[in-house]
Amino acid sequence: MNKEFSERLQKIEGVLNTYLPAQSTDDWRALSFGAIDSCVSQAHLSNLLEPCKNLVDLGGKRWRPLLLVLCAELASSKKSEAEKIASLENAYNITPLVEFAHTASLIHDDIEDCADTRRGKPAAHITYGLDVALNAGSWLYFEASSCIKNLKISDSEKLRLYELFLLELRRLHLGQAMDILWHRNPELIPSVSEYTAMVRNKTGTLSRLAVKLGVLAGGAGEQIVEKAGSFAQDIGTGFQIIDDVINLTTGNPGKKRGDDIVEGKKSLPVLIHLEKVPGDAPRLASLFSQARSEGIDSPSVEEAISILTGSGAVDEAKERGQKIIEENSNLLAGLFGTSDSKAAGLIMELFGALRGVPAERVAENAKRL
């Protein structure tokens, strides 16, 4: 991994551990809950902390909090050294907003999708029980915002962060509501525009949140914040498309190949295929229903994948996703001109690494900023 990334990720891990400790401390309890009864014990708090902390510690790319920090560096490049230091300190300290919201969404996703595993281990609701996991995931959405209280900024600036965070959480749940509607109804096929709107909210919203928080911490005005956010939501959309493709090819890390078929997800490869071969809709709906009933080892999973691959829909979706990511990462990295080529270059490198793009190609793209 790039040393520049490692140094920043180490700082991010420190912040995440502060706001989501393995064991509660008096300071953490006071920040999270205020004055609470003395009979509240570690055992009570563990039902919140442990499922969330365990999932965070299992890993994840941490690209969203890293992107947040890089965007703050990019936006603060014209500030004085003292202002830069203050901006970056704030940026690091608000990384829980994106990483904890992401973690909470994974806990709830696995419950809603009836998924058994996450990051190669049993899902939280399997390990801790549905009631504990559901409650802990819901708590973590709220707990994420506790980091705002400690920031050394004005009350009006804190209010702006709360407003931004809550808006994106509402959008996140809207996207999930759309996705649930479609995967619960095998015969219901969304349009590509509906799918795109769903992904922009369900997946793109956390990318948008990371970037908007970062450029806001860096001192950018509202117009730039919104513009940066629009690029980020499309980057997030591109990554979701690639994720859907991986699910149907090699399989996502910690998950099984084709589990999107079991969950009944109407991913972009499915929609592209049905645009090409609309008469396959009843057959795919039947295979989705069979896979949901029989599980991941059902022959219907591989049959559905074969249909989608055979029409070229999987490859076409991959190309669309790659193009969306490349175009919008270029726009985001170049948003502030070339005043800070280091931060811009690192943003390009981050997205290149996530896409598996060779370093020399990333460097060539950065020269065009």
Side-chain angles (χ1 to χ4, degrees):
M1 178 184 288
N2 184 315
K3 183 182 177 182
E4 297 278 359
F5 292 162
S6 297
E7 291 173 351
R8 290 164 175 79
L9 287 170
Q10 187 174 3
K11 293 180 183 178
I12 289 168
E13 290 301 316
V15 173
L16 299 181
N17 287 329
T18 295
Y19 287 101
L20 194 65
Q23 298 287 324
S24 69
T25 64
D26 290 343
D27 287 344
W28 177 82
R29 285 167 62 125
L31 178 67
S32 298
F33 303 104
I36 54 176
D37 296 315
S38 60
C39 64
V40 176
S41 68
Q42 181 63 43
H44 302 132
L45 295 169
S46 290
N47 262 359
L48 295 174
L49 277 172
E50 192 174 334
C52 302
K53 179 68 172 171
N54 181 57
L55 184 51
V56 169
D57 287 350
L58 279 177
K61 298 183 180 71
R62 303 281 196 267
W63 67 266
R64 295 171 187 83
L66 180 56
L67 178 60
L68 188 160
V69 170
L70 291 175
C71 285
E73 292 179 19
L74 192 67
S76 64
S77 59
K78 295 180 181 179
K79 289 188 170 186
S80 68
E81 196 60 29
E83 289 174 323
K84 283 183 184 179
I85 292 172
S87 292
L88 291 181
E89 181 181 359
N90 286 334
Y92 278 107
N93 283 324
I94 58 177
T95 53
L97 290 172
V98 287
E99 193 61 24
F100 290 174
H102 174 57
T103 302
S105 74
L106 297 182
I107 293 174
H108 282 184
D109 273 357
D110 288 340
I111 293 170
E112 292 163 354
D113 295 340
C114 300
D116 293 334
T117 60
R118 171 65 64 177
R119 293 174 177 165
K121 300 291 183 180
H125 65 281
I126 301 296
T127 300
Y128 300 99
L130 177 60
D131 50 357
V132 172
L134 184 61
N135 187 60
S138 298
W139 166 77
L140 191 57
Y141 279 125
F142 299 108
E143 179 65 15
S145 66
S146 67
C147 64
I148 297 174
K149 190 174 180 180
N150 279 343
L151 296 176
K152 297 175 183 177
I153 57 177
S154 68
D155 287 345
S156 62
E157 290 172 311
K158 289 181 180 180
L159 178 60
R160 179 68 185 100
L161 292 177
Y162 282 120
E163 289 175 339
L164 175 56
F165 178 63
L166 293 172
L167 172 63
E168 298 301 346
L169 283 192
R170 292 194 294 271
R171 288 173 168 172
L172 172 68
H173 285 77
L174 169 60
Q176 184 70 349
M178 296 170 75
D179 195 23
I180 289 171
L181 175 66
W182 301 328
H183 79 233
R184 289 185 65 178
N185 296 276
E187 295 80 17
L188 188 57
I189 307 297
S191 66
V192 172
S193 61
E194 286 176 317
Y195 165 86
T196 302
M198 180 274 289
V199 176
R200 280 179 172 172
N201 285 299
K202 180 179 176 179
T203 306
T205 194
L206 291 177
S207 304
R208 185 170 58 230
L209 177 61
V211 167
K212 290 171 79 170
L213 288 171
V215 296
L216 194 61
E222 287 296 331
Q223 285 188 329
I224 295 296
V225 169
E226 291 303 318
K227 191 173 185 180
S230 69
F231 298 148
Q233 74 175 9
D234 287 335
I235 292 169
T237 299
F239 276 115
Q240 182 60 58
I241 294 170
I242 298 302
D243 193 66
D244 292 342
V245 168
I246 292 172
N247 185 276
L248 299 173
T249 51
T250 60
N252 304 102
K255 305 286 277 186
K256 293 183 179 179
R257 164 181 155 109
D259 64 356
D260 279 358
I261 302 296
V262 177
E263 293 165 14
K265 290 193 174 180
K266 309 304 178 3
S267 61
L268 187 60
V270 174
L271 301 183
I272 291 175
H273 176 82
L274 291 177
E275 284 184 340
K276 294 172 176 283
V277 193
D280 275 355
R283 179 59 183 153
L284 282 175
S286 175
L287 291 171
F288 276 35
S289 294
Q290 182 182 346
R292 177 178 283 273
S293 175
E294 297 175 353
I296 192 64
D297 295 322
S298 170
S300 61
V301 173
E302 289 301 323
E303 184 176 346
I305 291 174
S306 178
I307 290 173
L308 300 174
T309 303
S311 69
V314 174
D315 287 339
E316 188 172 333
K318 181 179 179 180
E319 289 175 7
R320 289 194 196 182
Q322 296 278 21
K323 184 178 180 181
I324 290 170
I325 296 168
E326 185 166 356
E327 288 179 350
N328 286 280
S329 58
N330 285 338
L331 291 169
L332 177 61
L335 186 58
F336 294 89
T338 56
S339 57
D340 188 348
S341 58
K342 182 177 181 180
L346 288 172
I347 288 172
M348 294 288 289
E349 186 172 343
L350 171 62
F351 288 126
L354 290 170
R355 292 163 50 223
V357 175
E360 57 270 20
R361 182 179 166 192
V362 174
E364 188 62 35
N365 285 342
K367 290 178 183 177
R368 297 200 296 267
L369 292 176

